[in-house]
C-alpha cells in the first residue's frame, strides 16, 4: 500500500499533562486500562499494572472505593512507571485523599457527586496540577437529565458533560478530559460527535459494559473506530470483562487497523478454505503467542494456499505461503527460501527477531 | 434508549435473488460465511454448513478448486437449506460446472480469469438465473492496474471492479454483486465508499486475511462497521482464520452494535474493577455458552457491583447486579428477587428461556 487511502484529520484539542504522559494537543492517541484487582491489595495491583505496562498500557486507572484504597495509591505509584488515575465515585474525600497520595489524575462521575463537594476536589487538583476526567456514564446520569431527555440518550450524555464543563470553567479549572460512555454504540458515537463540535478538551473514548472478549472487541472497535476515523479521540480504553491484559492488544489493533499507531507486529492470515493444505490456524496461534513483547512494527503474512497467498505475502515484511508440507518464505516481496512445514515457526521467528532488532514503533 | 441516536440511511441497491434469499434492494443485511473443509468431502462440508446454518449463517460459499469439487456441489446443495455459492478461480469451466450442479451463485475474481472465458460463465449463469459476484481482492489484482496505481490502492480495486461491471453490462448481464476486499482496512473502506457512489449493485463487505479471532473481530468491525454506519453494504462476511463458526456471532455482533439487525441475546457486562465482588468473568462465560441457539432479541446485563450495576441493568430486559454472595435479579427495570450467587445461572437461564419463547428476532 503505497498511498494513504484516506487521511484522518485529527480534531485539535487542548494538551494535558497526565504524569509523564502528554494527552491531546496532537500527542499520540493513548492506550489506557483499569485494574481489576482490589486496590487495597498493593502487591496484586502493582503486579497487574506491571503486566499491563509491558503489554503497552500507557495510563492506568484504579478504583478507589474507600480510604484504605486511597492510601494504597502512594505505594502503588512508587512501584510503577506509568501515570496512575484514581477512579472515585460518591465520596469527594476519597478524590482529595487520592490526589494527596500522588495520583496523576482523577476520574469522577458528575452523576454521583454533589457540585459543592466537587469544588473541594478542584482545589486539591489545582494545587497539585492534576487533571480531572469528567467521566459521564449512561448508567449513572443525573435523574433530572434522564427525565428531560426521556432516557440515557446521546443528548443527555452531552448535556451532563456540558453542565460539568461549565461548572469547572466557572472555577477557572480547565485541566479537563471528558468521556461519554454508553454500552449502546450508536449513542456513544453520537454523543462524542456532538461534544467534539463544542469543546476543545481531550476526549477519552470507550464503550462501557462491552462484555466478554470477542463482543467487547466488536463493540469497542466500531464505537472507538468510527470516532477515530473521523479524527475524534485523544485516549481510549477497550473494556473487557475479565483480565484487563486482553484490552491492550485490542486497543493497539484498533489504532493499527486505522493506520493511526503501529505498535508491535501485525499478523495477517487467510481465513482458510477448501484450498488450504497446512494447519494454518495452529500456525497463527503459535506465531502470535511467540510474538508477545515484540514492539517493532512488522507485517507478517501466514497464508494457506497459492491462490491468494503469494500476492498478499508480497506486501508483508515477511511471510510464508504454505503448500503441501512445504512453504515459501518471503521477505519484502522476494522469495528467500523454501522451507519444510515443520520448520515454519523456527525459521520465521528467527527472521522476525532479527528484523525487530533493527526497528522500533512507527506512527 | 428510547430514541435512535442516529439514523443510518441505507444506500438503495438493486435487489438480487440468491437461491431463496433476497440480497440488496432493502432486504436485511445478510450474513455469509465460507467453509474450511475440502469441498470434495461432501459429508464434512455438509456437516460444517449445517452447523453454520443453525448459528445463523444465511448464505454459504465453498471453494471449487477442481472438477470433483464442482460435482460435489449437487449433493451438498441437496443436503442444506441456505443458498450455496461456488468460489472459482482461474478455470472458467469449474464455474460452468458449478452452475450446472445447482450452485445458487458464483464468485469469480476478475484478476485471475480471462475476459473471453468469462463470457461462457455469463451464458451459463443467465440460463439458470444465477447471480455472479465480482470478487475483487487486493492480493490478486490485474498487473496492469497494480502498475498504473502504484500498488493495490483503493482506486485500483475500484477500477478493477468498474472494468468488470462494464464488461458484464456490455453482455447485458446485470445479476451482479460486488466486493472489494483488502487486508488493509482504510483501503477497503475507501474503495467501497467510492464504488457505492457509482454503482447500484449490491455490495458484499469484508476484510481479507483478517487473522485470528480477536484481530479479525477488530479489523472486520472497523472496516464493515464504518461502512454500515454510512449505509453501505448488503451482505457481509467476517473472515476468521480457523473454524468459520466463529465468524457468525461476530457478524451479528457488528449488526447488533449498530442497531441494524438484532438476532439472539446480547450480554452486557461491566469490565470488573476493584469494586467487583463476584466472579463476573466466569459468570459471563457460562451464561454466553448456555445461550447458544437462542435467537430471540434479548438484552442481558451481568454486573459486578452496585456503582454502575443497577443503572445499566435497569435498561436490560433482564439482569443481575451482584454483591457479596448474593445478587438482585431485574426484569425490565423492576427488581424481581434477591438470589444467591450459586443460583445466578439457573435462575437467569430459566427466565431467559421463558422470555425467549415469547419473542423472535426484531430489526
Amino acid at each position: 500500500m503505497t498511498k494513504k487511502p484516506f487521511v484522518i484529520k485529527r480534531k485539535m484539542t487542548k494538551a494535558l499533562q497526565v504524569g509523564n504522559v502528554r494527552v491531546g494537543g496532537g500527542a499520540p492517541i493513548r492506550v489506557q486500562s483499569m485494574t481489576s484487582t482490589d486496590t487495597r491489595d498493593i502487591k496484586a495491583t502493582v503486579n497487574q499494572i506491571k503486566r499491563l505496562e509491558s503489554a503497552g498500557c500507557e495510563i492506568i486507572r484504579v478504583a478507589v472505593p474507600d480510604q484504605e484504597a486511597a492510601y494504597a495509591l502512594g505505594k502503588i505509584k512508587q512501584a510503577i512507571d506509568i501515570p496512575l488515575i484514581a477512579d472515585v465515585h460518591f465520596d469527594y474525600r476519597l478524590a482529595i485523599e487520592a490526589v494527596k497520595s500522588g495520583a496523576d489524575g482523577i476520574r469522577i462521575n458528575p452523576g454521583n457527586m454533589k457540585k459543592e463537594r466537587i469544588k473541594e476536589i478542584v482545589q486539591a487538583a489545582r494545587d497539585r496540577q492534576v487533571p480531572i476526567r469528567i467521566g459521564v456514564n449512561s448508567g449513572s446520569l443525573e435523574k433530572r437529565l434522564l427525565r428531560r431527555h426521556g432516557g440515557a440518550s446521546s443528548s443527555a450524555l452531552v448535556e451532563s458533560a456540558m453542565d460539568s464543563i461549565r461548572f469547572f470553567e466557572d472555577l477557572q479549572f480547565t485541566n479537563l478530559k471528558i468521556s461519554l460512555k454508553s454500552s449502546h454504540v450508536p449513542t456513544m458515537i453520537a454523543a462524542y460527535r456532538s461534544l467534539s463540535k463544542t469543546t476543545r478538551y481531550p476526549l477519552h473514548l470507550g464503550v462501557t459494559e462491552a462484555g466478554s472478549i470477542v463482543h467487547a472487541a466488536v463493540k469497542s472497535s466500531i464505537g472507538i473506530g468510527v470516532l477515530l476515523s473521523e479524527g475524534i479521540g485523544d485516549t481510549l480504553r477497550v473494556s473487557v470483562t475479565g483480565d484487563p491484559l486482553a484490552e491492550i492488544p485490542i486497543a493497539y489493533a484498533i489504532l493499527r487497523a486505522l493506520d493511526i499507531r503501529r505498535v508491535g507486529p501485525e499478523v495477517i492470515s487467510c481465513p482458510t478454505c477448501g484450498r488450504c493444505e497446512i494447519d494454518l490456524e495452529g500456525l497463527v496461534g503459535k506465531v502470535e503467542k511467540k510474538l508477545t513483547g515484540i514492539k517493532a512494527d512488522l507485517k507478517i503474512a501466514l497464508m494457506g494456499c497459492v491462490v491468494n497467498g503469494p500476492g498478499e505475502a508480497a506486501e508483508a515484511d515477511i511471510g510464508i505461503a504454505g503448500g503441501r508440507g512445504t512453504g515459501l518464505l518471503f521477505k519484502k516481496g522476494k522469495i528467500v527460501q523454501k522451507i519444510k512445514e515443520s520448520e515454519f515457526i523456527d525459521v520465521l521467528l528467527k527472521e522476525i527477531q532479527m528484523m525487530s532488532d533493527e526497528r522500533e514503533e512507527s506512527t
Side-chain angles (χ1 to χ4, degrees), chain A:
Chain A
M1 233 60 58
T2 44
K3 286 171 285 185
K4 289 229 172 191
F6 63 76
V7 177
I8 296 174
K9 192 161 171 261
R10 208 166 144 203
K11 198 184 134 69
M12 192 46 72
T13 51
K14 186 177 186 297
L16 294 188
Q17 197 65 34
V18 183
N20 54 5
V21 171
R22 205 160 53 91
V23 171
I29 293 164
R30 302 301 181 186
V31 171
Q32 306 195 197
S33 185
M34 186 171 182
T35 53
S36 62
T37 52
D38 183 334
T39 307
R40 294 164 297 191
D41 183 342
I42 294 169
K43 197 178 160 193
T45 304
V46 167
N47 280 345
Q48 193 174 64
I49 296 174
K50 296 302 265 181
R51 286 195 305 137
L52 287 161
E53 228 179 88
S54 47
C57 176
E58 297 173 299
I59 297 173
I60 187 69
R61 181 160 52 112
V62 299
V64 180
D66 61 19
Q67 287 283 353
E68 198 185 334
Y71 295 143
L73 293 188
K75 290 212 170 120
I76 294 168
K77 171 84 186 132
Q78 284 168 28
I80 64 172
D81 294 316
I82 54 176
L84 182 66
I85 310 284
D87 192 72
V88 182
H89 293 259
F90 307 116
D91 187 347
Y92 76 104
R93 289 166 300 187
L94 298 175
I96 293 168
E97 207 58 63
V99 172
K100 287 187 184 157
S101 293
D104 298 299
I106 298 290
R107 181 260 166 147
I108 60 171
N109 181 333
N112 63 32
M113 225 179 258
K114 287 219 169 63
K115 288 258 161 70
E116 276 312 300
R117 299 314 200 179
I118 295 177
K119 280 189 189 167
E120 302 188 41
I121 302 176
V122 166
Q123 195 49 53
R126 200 198 311 270
D127 289 348
R128 305 234 180 179
Q129 299 187 326
V130 162
I132 294 176
R133 168 152 69 93
I134 302 171
V136 178
N137 193 304
S138 64
S140 51
L141 273 175
E142 297 93 321
K143 289 229 167 61
R144 62 180 178 83
L145 293 177
L146 291 173
R147 274 195 302 270
R148 189 183 321 154
H149 294 269
S153 66
S154 58
S155 56
L157 292 167
V158 171
E159 187 174 336
S160 174
M162 289 306 297
D163 277 357
S164 288
I165 289 171
R166 273 189 292 268
F167 174 80
F168 282 100
E169 287 179 345
D170 285 346
L171 300 169
Q172 269 85 51
F173 188 89
T174 59
N175 199 5
L176 295 172
K177 257 194 300 182
I178 322 285
S179 65
L180 301 166
K181 297 190 185 179
S182 168
S183 69
H184 186 243
V185 173
T187 297
M188 170 265 188
I189 292 173
Y192 280 103
R193 273 181 182 160
S194 167
L195 191 72
S196 77
K197 286 185 190 136
T198 51
T199 84
R200 289 191 73 242
Y201 295 110
L203 298 181
H204 169 73
L205 306 183
V207 177
T208 56
E209 287 80 34
S212 62
I213 185 159
V214 172
H215 288 90
V218 171
K219 290 177 80 170
S220 294
S221 298
I222 298 179
I224 296 170
V226 165
L227 291 165
L228 290 177
S229 78
E230 296 171 5
I232 298 168
D234 299 282
T235 80
L236 62 89
R237 180 193 178 198
V238 172
S239 295
V240 173
T241 298
D243 189 340
L245 207 69
E247 300 176 359
I248 310 301
I250 299 175
Y252 281 107
I254 293 172
L255 292 170
R256 168 181 283 280
L258 287 164
D259 276 344
I260 292 171
R261 287 183 73 184
R262 305 181 70 81
V263 179
E266 174 184 19
V267 175
I268 61 168
S269 57
C270 61
T272 73
C273 66
R275 291 185 202 94
C276 184
E277 293 176 338
I278 61 169
D279 171 22
L280 192 64
E281 187 180 7
L283 181 66
V284 172
K286 280 178 205 154
V287 171
E288 281 190 349
K289 204 167 278 178
K290 298 262 189 185
L291 294 175
T292 315
I294 292 182
K295 294 266 166 73
D297 166 27
L298 287 171
K299 192 169 184 176
I300 301 159
L302 302 173
M303 314 298 289
C305 83
V306 292
V307 174
N308 296 307
E312 284 292 333
E315 288 189 358
D317 293 299
I318 186 161
I320 285 176
R324 205 183 288 269
T326 67
L328 293 173
L329 184 79
F330 293 86
K331 278 172 84 172
K332 295 173 187 167
K334 298 239 161 37
I335 295 174
V336 177
Q337 61 182 114
K338 191 171 173 176
I339 44 178
K340 288 186 203 156
E341 187 171 350
S342 59
E343 293 169 355
F344 280 1
I345 293 174
D346 287 348
V347 173
L348 197 62
L349 287 171
K350 206 176 132 194
E351 295 285 344
I352 290 168
Q353 195 58 59
M354 286 196 305
M355 295 173 92
S356 165
D357 293 344
E358 293 164 15
R359 300 198 198 183
E360 286 196 8
E361 167 187 358
S362 67
T363 303

